[in-house]
Amino acid sequence: MTTLMIQGTTSDAGKTTVVAALCRWLARQGVSVAPFKPQNMALNSAVTVDGGEIGRSTALQALACGLEPHSDMNPVLLKPQSDCGAQVILRGQVHGNMDALDYHAYKAEAMKAVMAAWRSLSERYDVIIAEGAGSPAEVNLRANDIANMGFAEAADCSVLLVGDIDRGGVFAQLVGTLELISASEQQRIKGFIINRFRGDIALLEPGLDWLETRTSKPVFGVLPYLHGLVVDSEDSVSTEGSSEAGALNVVVPVVPRISNHNDFDPLRLHPGVNLIFVGPDQPIPPADLIILPGSKSTRHDMQWLIHQGWPEALRKHLRYGGKVLGICGGFQMLGQWVEDPDGLEGEVGHTEGLGLLEMNTRMVPGKQLKQVSGTLACSVAGATTSVTMQGYEMHNGVSEGPALARPFAELEGQPDGAVSHDDQIAGTYVHGLFDAPEACDAILAWAGLNQAAAQAVDYQSHRLQQLDRLADQVEACLDTDRLRSLLQL
């Protein structure tokens, strides 16, 4: 078994896409390969085949390998609940809430989960492609590091360092990172990958020669800037969308603790949708459909909506015949109250909701983590034939009230969500409900999209196409003979 770790000079150097590209490249050759991320901090996550929870980016890498995501692939997941605190998830299950200082002291214990998960994967796969987090040169975080060189040293694995040239300063990034790590860690770095290059490679070659001379380490290759690449992002919300005349205007408030915003990736790709994300202090534009997204801190984000004027905007939107959809935390906000008696998502207490659905939600211990499938309710699907849907649940809250008598969907014989009597307001606990084209088209038709105008993209097929595009760049732009040697293939 061989482990290769991809680390980056910065948080956004492109580690995730490089790991996904390498995983896809290896899987296409029949290599038994799996992704691994020791520690991840992200609000976008996926449900695993073993009933756990991992970062969404690692789940994408599992897809690149042709695997179902497993909790061993991302043994430590941190889901921020405030600027200084996060929910700590170990090997897929909630361990508890910690502030930053407490977690820093706990990392030695967390490392045990990291190494146990890595050893378990190592027994099942021939190659592990690991992804670092942030930068290995964060000198203030080096004590008890488990995300970068701390893991690489413990696992005794080689490292490739990725730098992003698109933002400038890539040579300073690479050389500076080497200068700030220890001699043994420097030896672990076997070479560099330069990412997101635009232009004539001939103009870059003198710099590559200088870098190899300066560091005595090879450049494994230069990956191009891939225009139009759409893969699962970890934290940042992309605001790209259609601006076609006559498109359905879908507006999403970017609440501070937005979670699983990858729910909206299929809408970004939909030719009939103009997807608009609205951040703090931005004007709220006219919409056909307003979607309240998932939230890691529902009560906190409900207060943010109030301060930003969303309740009034929603009431006006509904008066003019618009539609509203709430997903998970957004669904909870549509009710009358959200209670958190145990402080699972922050301070103990209760917060008044939007009052658009007659229901209340109570946060209870024991997070629901499961993949689900079923059919949309006829009030949403608008058809006598059933429209299938699938996705996953990931929440603590339990909702109760008369509104649930008109469910949004039926999942394996159980009702989910709610639809108002006037069919203008709907809510569901299911993430990923737009991934399947049939369900996506039905929900958008409910919101007012003319189905003759456009049809949804098959999002899963699109993801695989994007992964193949990444793997093609590995084959074309990296020194694959050197890579195979490094991986002992």
Side-chain angles (χ1 to χ4, degrees), residues 358-383:
E358 194 176 355
M359 67 176 201
N360 296 316
T361 297
R362 182 183 181 91
M363 299 299 174
V364 297
K367 181 182 288 189
Q368 290 289 324
L369 289 170
K370 57 182 178 180
Q371 298 176 355
V372 295
S373 61
T375 57
L376 290 172
C378 291
S379 53
V380 176

Side-chain angles (χ1 to χ4, degrees), residues 439-473:
C440 183
D441 282 334
I443 295 168
L444 293 179
W446 167 79
L449 180 64
N450 181 355
Q451 285 297 280
Q455 290 188 334
V457 171
D458 187 332
Y459 185 56
Q460 288 301 96
S461 295
H462 178 83
R463 294 171 84 205
L464 290 171
Q465 291 168 4
Q466 298 296 288
L467 290 168
D468 281 328
R469 187 181 176 194
L470 289 172
D472 290 343
Q473 296 305 315

Side-chain angles (χ1 to χ4, degrees), residues 122-167:
S122 300
E123 293 171 356
R124 308 199 298 270
Y125 302 97
D126 295 334
V127 174
I128 307 294
I129 306 294
E131 180 186 350
S135 162
E138 303 290 357
V139 294
N140 57 311
L141 299 176
R142 289 178 58 78
N144 294 326
D145 170 60
I146 67 175
N148 291 295
M149 285 299 180
F151 167 75
E153 294 268 69
D156 192 21
C157 69
S158 298
V159 175
L160 291 180
L161 186 63
V162 177
D164 177 8
I165 196 172
D166 188 53
R167 301 193 180 190

Side-chain angles (χ1 to χ4, degrees), residues 50-75:
D50 57 320
E53 182 179 359
I54 64 172
R56 178 84 176 196
S57 59
T58 308
L60 174 75
Q61 293 158 357
L63 178 66
C65 297
L67 303 174
E68 291 283 353
H70 192 282
S71 58
D72 283 343
M73 296 172 181
N74 176 205

